[in-house]
Amino acid sequence: MKKYTKIAAGVIAAGVFVGTFGFLYKKSQPEVVVYATHKPAVKDLEKTTLITGQIEPRDEVSIKPQISGIIAELYKEPGQMVKKDEVIAKVKVIPDMGNLNAAENRVELASINMKQAETDMKRMKELYASKLVSTEEYEKTEVSYRQAKAELLTAKDALNIVREGMSLSNAKMSTTLIRSTIDGLILDIPVKVGNNVILSNTFNDGTTVASVADMSNLIFRGKVDETEVGKVHNGMPVEISIGALENVTLDAVLEYISPKAVDNNGAKQFEIKAAITLPDSLTIRSGYSANAKIVLQRASKVLTIPEAAVDFAGDSTFVYLLTDSVPTQKFRKQPVEIGLSDGIYIEVKSGLKGNEIVRGIEKK
């Protein structure tokens, strides 16, 4: 019995030894690495830049009052079309007490002068009829009378403007009526009936009563990085895509590149503008977020491989050509000259033939 036990123990020990040796041997062997392979293909390559921005009307006009007061009536709403000189709102004037007092005093003084001028004119007519004064003296009195009359009319007109914002001589040009200065679409009316509004002056930009724009003349406005601004120029075609409109792209032409950079979170960027060609059937709203794609470089029908297959070493570039695949893959290092890249594929100018196969990334 003891004999069989010893034999069994020996067999177990031998099995453990052999298994351990096999495991260690297998671990010591190098693991076979398998790479993806690629055959060069002829493609058209484009190097593009994508610029974020928004759609805006080329000219957006802020309509402001010509006189301070309170909004008495609103005749238009956002989204409505308006013609030039069409009335958008009416302002009720709250006269300044200082200006009102001065205007009233001017009218009172002009009235006194007018009464005196009338008296003088009446007396002069009697004397002139009796040939007691010369024609020259009569004409001087008549001129003074006319001047006093004109001054009284002017004073009353000025008083009415202070009180009502309206000229007595030309009610159509009333400053209480706020009119559009262009033909276009009303984008916004930020005031309500009863709101105070002030006219523009040296110390204040004035209250915007309405924003009006020609929505048939739109531009894309965005910012391009300083690393790419030297590659763009006026007249370049631009492709605009709008996030709010699926499957819609618009043609545009780059028309403006700012000569001065602005700092954006540490990055230097330059503002650009592109004129958009707008189809008649499409309605675009001001402020839509959009992306502009600009083709910086283009290469047609060139030999390409995935950029991940290129090995960069200093100023030199290499690929690894497949020389054998049985029993394991074998590769040969090959210098190549590269060209344009679109970020996925890269042009190979020389050093590679169309029927050769290059090593890609390692398969997992």
Side-chain angles (χ1 to χ4, degrees):
M1 187 68 180
K2 290 183 178 179
K3 181 179 179 181
Y4 288 115
T5 302
K6 289 181 179 180
I7 292 173
V11 172
I12 292 172
V16 171
F17 176 78
V18 172
T20 303
F21 179 80
F23 174 77
L24 293 175
Y25 178 79
K26 186 177 181 181
K27 291 289 289 183
S28 66
Q29 296 302 306
E31 185 177 351
V32 177
V33 179
V34 180
Y35 293 92
T37 57
H38 305 280
K39 189 175 182 180
V42 176
K43 293 179 178 290
D44 294 334
L45 293 182
E46 290 183 345
K47 183 177 182 180
T48 63
T49 184
L50 195 65
I51 302 168
T52 59
Q54 65 179 20
I55 305 299
E56 299 178 358
R58 181 181 298 278
D59 297 309
E60 182 176 338
V61 178
S62 295
I63 309 299
K64 300 185 178 184
Q66 295 177 289
I67 194 167
S68 298
I70 296 176
I71 297 294
E73 294 182 68
L74 287 172
Y75 302 107
K76 295 290 182 179
E77 295 180 354
Q80 292 183 328
M81 298 299 297
V82 68
K83 295 289 186 181
K84 183 179 178 181
D85 293 329
E86 190 173 353
V87 178
I88 297 174
K90 183 178 181 180
V91 173
K92 179 181 179 181
V93 176
I94 305 299
D96 177 79
M97 296 309 297
N99 293 337
L100 180 60
N101 186 59
E104 288 175 342
N105 290 338
R106 181 181 176 186
V107 170
E108 185 177 355
L109 181 60
S111 297
I112 293 172
N113 291 335
M114 182 60 190
K115 288 179 180 179
Q116 183 61 48
E118 285 178 342
T119 301
D120 292 343
M121 190 63 201
K122 184 178 179 180
R123 184 184 303 117
M124 183 57 69
K125 282 184 177 180
E126 293 175 354
L127 294 173
Y128 185 68
S130 301
K131 298 184 180 181
L132 296 176
V133 294
S134 65
T135 302
E136 182 181 358
E137 290 177 301
Y138 175 80
E139 290 176 347
K140 285 182 179 180
T141 303
E142 186 178 25
V143 168
S144 298
Y145 170 74
R146 290 178 179 175
Q147 289 176 340
K149 186 177 181 180
E151 172 58 22
L152 180 59
L153 292 174
T154 302
K156 288 181 177 180
D157 202 36
L159 177 60
N160 201 71
I161 290 175
V162 172
R163 280 179 175 169
E164 306 293 337
M166 183 185 301
S167 170
L168 293 172
S169 60
N170 194 350
K172 290 184 179 180
M173 299 306 294
S174 170
T175 54
T176 61
L177 299 178
I178 302 173
R179 303 172 185 271
S180 177
T181 56
I182 62 169
D183 294 347
L185 179 73
I186 299 178
L187 301 181
D188 187 27
I189 297 181
V191 296
K192 297 179 180 179
V193 172
N195 285 164
N196 285 307
V197 293
I198 59 174
L199 76 164
S200 177
N201 54 49
T202 307
F203 307 102
N204 196 296
D205 290 335
T207 306
T208 298
V209 174
S211 296
V212 181
D214 179 5
M215 293 302 293
S216 65
N217 189 359
L218 300 178
I219 62 169
F220 168 85
R221 186 194 299 270
K223 291 183 175 65
V224 63
D225 192 79
E226 63 178 333
T227 59
E228 296 179 329
V229 70
K231 302 174 185 177
V232 298
H233 56 81
N234 289 347
M236 292 183 74
V238 181
E239 185 179 283
I240 306 294
S241 58
I242 300 174
L245 304 176
E246 296 184 2
N247 303 320
V248 173
T249 57
L250 303 175
D251 294 328
V253 177
L254 190 62
E255 65 176 20
Y256 171 79
I257 305 170
S258 174
K260 182 179 179 180
V262 294
D263 188 80
N264 187 7
N265 295 324
K268 297 294 184 181
Q269 296 184 319
F270 294 80
E271 183 182 63
I272 66 165
K273 297 177 187 177
I276 297 174
T277 301
L278 187 65
D280 294 335
S281 59
L282 190 63
T283 299
I284 303 294
R285 300 182 186 276
S286 177
Y288 269 157
S289 296
N291 292 322
K293 186 175 79 171
I294 302 178
V295 178
L296 302 177
Q297 290 177 274
R298 182 181 283 110
S300 299
K301 300 187 183 309
V302 294
L303 194 66
T304 68
I305 58 174
E307 189 167 352
V310 179
D311 187 14
F312 295 87
D315 295 334
S316 301
T317 49
F318 305 90
V319 295
Y320 290 88
L321 301 180
L322 181 68
T323 58
D324 199 354
S325 58
V326 179
T328 60
Q329 292 176 318
K330 294 181 182 179
F331 299 94
R332 173 172 58 85
K333 191 175 183 180
Q334 172 69 29
V336 293
E337 181 185 359
I338 58 173
L340 181 64
S341 169
D342 65 0
I344 300 176
Y345 292 94
I346 191 168
E347 175 189 3
V348 180
K349 292 184 174 181
S350 63
L352 183 65
K353 297 178 181 178
N355 59 352
E356 294 177 315
I357 299 175
V358 299
R359 187 182 79 183
I361 61 174
E362 179 182 345
K363 288 183 178 180
K364 301 296 183 182

